């Protein structure tokens, strides 16, 4: 075969957990926890030795974020006011890990859509915001479960893991180091969300996505040409998680709230919107694409208001639901998987020659753009 060294997206796959939590269910559980906390600590609160907790509200969540529900791998345990954390039973080393399991499910769907045999794939990148363990790599476990002969590794760029993974895969194709690369993003965000924190308890959901990036010579019909990829990082503490392997060396261990997701949401909103909008416009110009002509934006799914502002700046007008599809209403923020879910669910109706943008942004800060055009 004559290799083109031109990367395309051949197919995508999605795994959605069966269970979903509505805002009503979430707020009922959170408020039960708050009532219990305030009752149990009434004396200390009255004496000024402890702060009382405030209830959450469905109206606030929907208005501030656009999120109405989220899928999770362990609903009952998350909603139990005495627990508020997923319960996932330990598995033996001979069983497939849960992150690998959902990653494999998404990967199989992508391979099936592309009509691709796992034996044709050269590499697996497990690109996600948290890994279940340091090693052996989740990517290698996924590679093994799929029967892929080649190489795999894990990469974590928080919410931008998938787009950074796509650029890495595209660079392998461009350089000729691989012909077919699976970028798998299993995001069990419920494990690092502080379900007891009023400011953020509604934010995340669980999911897994897979993107098959290949040399155009290998691609099935109607792939998406990758016209250009661009990555950007700017250090910020506004989204942070201090969980890590050195926690056990600290006197406090790994129990603190800072060992879970923490953010200054308003600052993130204000700082990331202009950074990402400018990055998209600059990259479009570099590629000779008029940003106003983009047929669809598959944006990171963190906040409906952020996406409204970014699309407006890029397209020059308020984007319709067709131009900037939303999935965060039912999936919430699924970290790096969000823009890929949007692409997966909303790309088949576009016509040959249509140009669009997959774009992620989040902790780091990190942002990634992948401009794509539907090929015939
Ligand atoms: N229920 C009811 N009220 C709540 C609440 C809740 N669950 N959480 C916060 N509030 C209150 C606050 O106490 C505050 O009250 P005050 O005005 O009396 O002080 C008010 O609502 C506004 O809080 P704020 O945190 O400023 O809300 P916001 O409008 O900034 O929305 C986010 C919060 C998180 C939804 C929003 O900032 C966001 O999505 N930012 C971007 C985050 C992002 O992209 N992160 C990337 C993650 S990977």
């Amino acid at each position: 075969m004559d290799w083109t060294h031109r990367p395309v997206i051949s197919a995508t796959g999605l795994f959605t957990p069966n269970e979903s939590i509505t805002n009503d269910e979430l707020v009922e559980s959170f408020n039960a926890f708050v009532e219990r906390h305030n009752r149990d600590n009434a004396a200390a609160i009255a004496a000024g030795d402890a702060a009382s907790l405030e209830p959450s509200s469905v109206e606030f969540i929907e208005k501030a974020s656009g999120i109405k529900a989220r899928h999770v791998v362990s609903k009952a345990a998350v909603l139990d006011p005495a627990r508020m954390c997923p319960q996932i039973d330990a598995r033996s080393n001979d069983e497939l890990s849960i992150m690998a399991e959902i990653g494999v499910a998404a990967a199989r769907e992508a391979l099936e859509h592309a009509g691709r045999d796992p034996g044709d794939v050269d590499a697996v990148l497990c690109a996600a915001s948290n890994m279940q363990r340091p090693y052996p790599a989740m990517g290698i476990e996924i590679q093994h479960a799929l029967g892929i002969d080649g190489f795999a590794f894990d990469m974590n760029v928080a919410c931008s893991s998938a787009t950074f993974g796509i650029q890495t895969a595209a660079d392998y194709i461009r350089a000729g180091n691989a012909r077919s690369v699976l970028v798998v993003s299993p995001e069990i965000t419920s494990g690092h969300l502080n379900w007891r924190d009023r400011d953020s308890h509604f934010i995340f959901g669980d999911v897994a996505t897979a993107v098959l990036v290949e040399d155009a010579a290998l691609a099935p019909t109607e792939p998406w040409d990758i016209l250009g990829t661009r990555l950007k990082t700017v250090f910020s503490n506004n989204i942070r998680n201090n969980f890590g392997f050195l926690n056990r060396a600290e006197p406090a261990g790994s129990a603190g709230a800072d060992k879970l997701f923490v953010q200054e949401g308003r600052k993130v909103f204000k700082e990331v919107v202009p950074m990402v909008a400018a990055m998209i416009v600059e990259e479009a110009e570099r590629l000779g694409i008029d940003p106003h002509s983009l047929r669809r934006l598959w944006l990171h799914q963190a906040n409906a208001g952020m996406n409204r502002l970014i699309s407006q700046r890029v397209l020059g007008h308020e984007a319709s639901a067709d131009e900037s599809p939303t999935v965060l209403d039912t999936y919430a923020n699924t970290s790096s998987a969000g823009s890929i879910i949007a692409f997966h669910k909303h790309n088949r109706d576009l016509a040959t020659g249509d140009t669009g943008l997959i774009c992620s942004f989040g902790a780091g800060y990190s942002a990634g753009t992948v401009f794509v055009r539907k090929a015939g």
Side-chain angles (χ1 to χ4, degrees):
M1 192 171 299
D2 286 336
W3 301 108
T4 66
H5 300 290
R6 281 194 298 106
V8 302
I9 293 177
S10 288
T12 54
L14 172 67
F15 168 82
T16 303
N18 287 332
E19 293 185 321
S20 165
I21 298 175
T22 64
N23 284 345
D24 280 321
E25 292 171 314
L26 184 76
V27 167
E28 190 187 329
S29 143
F30 182 89
N31 289 351
F33 152 72
V34 166
E35 266 174 43
R36 180 185 299 197
H37 171 93
N38 290 348
R39 197 174 52 237
D40 291 351
N41 295 283
I45 293 168
D49 295 333
S52 67
L53 298 180
E54 297 287 315
S56 183
S57 103
V58 170
E59 296 69 33
F60 169 82
I61 295 171
E62 271 187 42
K63 190 157 174 281
S65 70
I67 296 165
K68 295 180 181 160
R70 69 285 295 143
H71 291 273
V72 287
V73 295
S74 169
K75 175 172 176 172
V78 160
L79 287 184
D80 176 357
R83 182 175 170 88
M84 299 178 89
C85 170
Q87 178 161 342
I88 300 168
D89 292 337
R91 298 182 183 184
S92 82
N93 288 357
D94 297 328
E95 289 175 283
L96 198 61
S97 315
I98 185 167
M99 261 188 79
E101 179 186 306
I102 68 173
V104 163
R108 282 199 201 286
E109 192 183 60
L111 293 172
E112 197 180 305
H113 282 170
R116 180 76 57 242
D117 189 278
D120 302 332
V121 177
D122 302 317
V124 177
L125 311 187
C126 182
S129 44
N130 282 278
M131 297 300 159
Q132 194 168 344
R133 59 169 182 264
Y135 43 82
M138 304 311 304
I140 302 177
E141 191 179 4
I142 294 170
Q143 172 199 357
H144 176 67
L146 291 170
I148 289 170
D149 182 22
F151 67 93
F153 60 89
D154 294 346
M155 54 186 289
N156 174 355
V157 200
C159 289
S160 287
S161 300
T163 53
F164 276 58
I166 292 172
Q167 162 149 327
T168 306
D171 283 345
Y172 284 143
I173 308 295
R174 290 168 183 138
N177 286 326
R179 314 293 186 205
S180 176
V181 184
L182 263 173
V183 181
V184 185
S185 300
E187 292 284 9
I188 305 186
T189 63
S190 58
H192 64 84
L193 177 56
N194 185 349
W195 297 90
R196 293 193 173 96
D197 173 39
R198 178 175 178 255
D199 286 345
S200 63
H201 75 111
F202 53 89
I203 285 183
F204 285 118
D206 299 336
V207 81
T209 55
V211 182
L212 185 63
V213 180
E214 301 192 301
D215 187 291
L218 201 65
T221 53
E222 299 200 331
W224 285 84
D225 287 331
I226 296 178
L227 305 176
T229 53
R230 177 68 65 180
L231 311 178
K232 186 179 175 78
T233 49
V234 179
F235 186 75
S236 168
N237 277 320
N238 289 333
I239 314 170
R240 191 159 173 127
N241 183 338
N242 285 335
F243 182 77
F245 78 102
L246 289 179
N247 292 158
R248 65 190 284 268
E250 301 166 18
S254 58
D258 69 316
K259 309 300 187 302
L260 296 168
F261 169 90
V262 182
Q263 76 167 349
E264 296 271 356
R266 194 148 280 202
K267 287 189 189 158
V268 174
F269 194 114
K270 268 171 68 181
E271 292 172 9
V272 168
V273 167
M275 178 183 110
V276 169
M279 178 183 174
I280 295 171
V281 171
E282 274 167 31
E283 176 64 356
E285 277 163 12
R286 190 182 74 85
L287 294 170
I289 296 166
D290 174 4
H292 292 188
S293 74
L294 288 168
R295 176 65 187 82
R296 191 162 288 165
L297 307 178
W298 298 280
L299 298 180
H300 177 53
Q301 301 284 314
N303 182 294
M306 281 175 107
N307 286 4
R308 217 171 12 254
L309 287 171
I310 292 171
S311 345
Q312 167 115 35
R313 290 187 191 188
V314 171
L315 297 177
H317 61 265
E318 178 144 350
S320 64
D322 181 67
E323 288 172 315
S324 178
T326 298
V327 300
L328 65 74
D329 50 348
T330 53
Y331 280 87
N333 181 342
T334 50
S335 195
S336 73
S339 58
I340 308 301
I341 306 173
F343 177 75
H344 177 84
K345 286 185 168 283
H346 300 280
N347 79 67
R348 288 179 200 90
D349 58 315
L350 295 199
T352 302
D354 279 345
T355 303
L357 167 72
I358 298 170
C359 177
S360 69
F361 38 88
Y365 297 132
S366 59
T369 59
V370 182
F371 282 85
V372 290
R373 179 168 295 148
K374 189 155 193 174

